């Protein structure tokens, strides 16, 4: 009788161990699936951050091109002003006041153009800097998402190793 009880209790104990092992293995499988979902989610976030970065770069480059065009216009207007000043001085020396007045008007018009172009350039540069801030923010998010993804990948490797170890 004692031997029967002992055999039954050993059988019960071993079945409890098998159940516990199966339960642990099932939990490991669930953890593995969850980690795989997390990796896919993190990869989607990474791809979205990359798209945002590329979109912001295109916008920033467009703003910088506009600012460079405005700077080129400013430089051309400065050259026009210098040319008009030289003509103005020449007209004053020659006593041609009508042409000198025209040159003064041209100088003032070119100075207004410079101020307008400076305003446009500064506006474009501010927008380009805002885009650069967005790029930096998206890069930081990208780094964080990569860290999360790599952490989840490590968890997957650990879970697979545990599953393999529990099988044998």
């Amino acid at each position: 009788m004692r031997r029967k009880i002992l055999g039954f209790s050993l059988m019960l104990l071993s079945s409890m161990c098998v159940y516990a092992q199966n339960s642990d293995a099932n939990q490991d499988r669930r953890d593995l699936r969850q980690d795989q979902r997390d990796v896919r989610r993190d990869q989607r976030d990474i791809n979205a951050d990359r798209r945002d970065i590329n979109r912001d770069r295109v916008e920033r480059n467009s703003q910088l091109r506009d600012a460079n065009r405005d700077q080129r216009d400013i430089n051309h207007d400065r050259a026009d002003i210098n040319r008009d000043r030289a003509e103005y001085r020449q007209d004053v020396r020659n006593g041609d006041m009508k042409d000198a007045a025209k040159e003064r008007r041209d100088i003032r018009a070119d100075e207004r153009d410079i101020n307008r172009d400076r305003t446009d350039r500064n506006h474009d540069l501010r927008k380009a800097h805002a885009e650069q801030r967005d790029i930096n923010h998206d890069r930081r998010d990208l780094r964080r998402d990569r860290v999360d993804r790599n952490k989840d990948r490590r968890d997957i490797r650990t879970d697979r190793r545990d599953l393999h170890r529990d099988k044998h």
Side-chain angles (χ1 to χ4, degrees), residues 6-117:
L6 185 60
F8 179 74
S9 57
L10 284 176
M11 186 180 72
L12 187 61
L13 184 63
S14 68
S15 68
M16 286 173 55
C17 289
V18 168
Y19 177 77
Q21 287 174 349
N22 286 340
S23 177
D24 289 344
N26 288 337
Q27 184 60 45
D28 287 343
R29 282 189 204 94
R30 281 193 294 275
D31 292 343
L32 177 63
R33 282 192 297 273
Q34 183 59 46
D35 289 339
Q36 288 169 335
R37 282 191 293 271
D38 291 344
V39 166
R40 284 192 296 272
R41 185 198 64 234
D42 291 338
Q43 190 61 50
R44 278 193 303 270
D45 292 345
I46 288 170
N47 292 340
D49 288 338
R50 283 181 179 152
R51 279 192 301 274
D52 290 346
I53 288 171
N54 289 335
R55 191 176 315 113
D56 291 341
R57 280 182 178 156
V58 167
E59 186 63 29
R60 180 205 55 199
N61 291 341
S62 171
Q63 298 301 330
L64 289 175
R65 267 194 307 277
D66 291 347
N68 288 336
R69 185 193 63 237
D70 292 335
Q71 184 61 48
R72 188 182 61 237
D73 292 346
I74 288 170
N75 294 341
H76 288 182
D77 289 339
R78 282 182 181 153
D80 288 344
I81 286 174
N82 290 335
R83 214 174 6 263
D84 290 341
R85 282 184 179 152
E87 290 175 8
Y88 171 75
R89 286 191 298 271
Q90 186 68 33
D91 290 339
V92 168
R93 250 183 264 129
N94 293 339
D96 190 358
M97 292 316 209
K98 185 177 178 184
D99 284 344
K102 177 189 169 298
E103 294 303 328
R104 271 199 319 271
R105 283 191 302 274
D106 288 347
I107 289 170
R108 281 195 296 270
D110 287 338
E111 285 173 345
R112 278 193 304 273
D113 289 346
I114 284 178
N115 289 334
R116 186 192 62 240
D117 290 338

Side-chain angles (χ1 to χ4, degrees), residues 86-161:
E87 290 175 8
Y88 171 75
R89 286 191 298 271
Q90 186 68 33
D91 290 339
V92 168
R93 250 183 264 129
N94 293 339
D96 190 358
M97 292 316 209
K98 185 177 178 184
D99 284 344
K102 177 189 169 298
E103 294 303 328
R104 271 199 319 271
R105 283 191 302 274
D106 288 347
I107 289 170
R108 281 195 296 270
D110 287 338
E111 285 173 345
R112 278 193 304 273
D113 289 346
I114 284 178
N115 289 334
R116 186 192 62 240
D117 290 338
R118 277 186 184 149
T119 302
D120 291 346
R121 180 199 60 197
N122 292 338
H123 177 74
D124 291 336
L125 287 175
R126 275 194 301 277
K127 287 174 78 174
H129 289 146
E131 292 299 331
Q132 186 62 48
R133 277 193 306 274
D134 290 345
I135 289 170
N136 293 341
H137 179 78
D138 291 337
R139 281 181 176 165
R140 187 186 66 224
D141 288 346
L142 180 65
R143 281 191 299 271
R144 288 178 180 167
D145 290 339
R146 282 181 178 153
V147 165
D148 290 344
R149 181 198 59 193
N150 292 339
K151 180 184 168 295
D152 290 334
R153 283 182 175 168
R154 280 191 304 274
D155 292 344
I156 287 172
R157 283 194 299 273
T158 303
D159 290 343
R160 283 185 177 155
R161 193 176 21 207

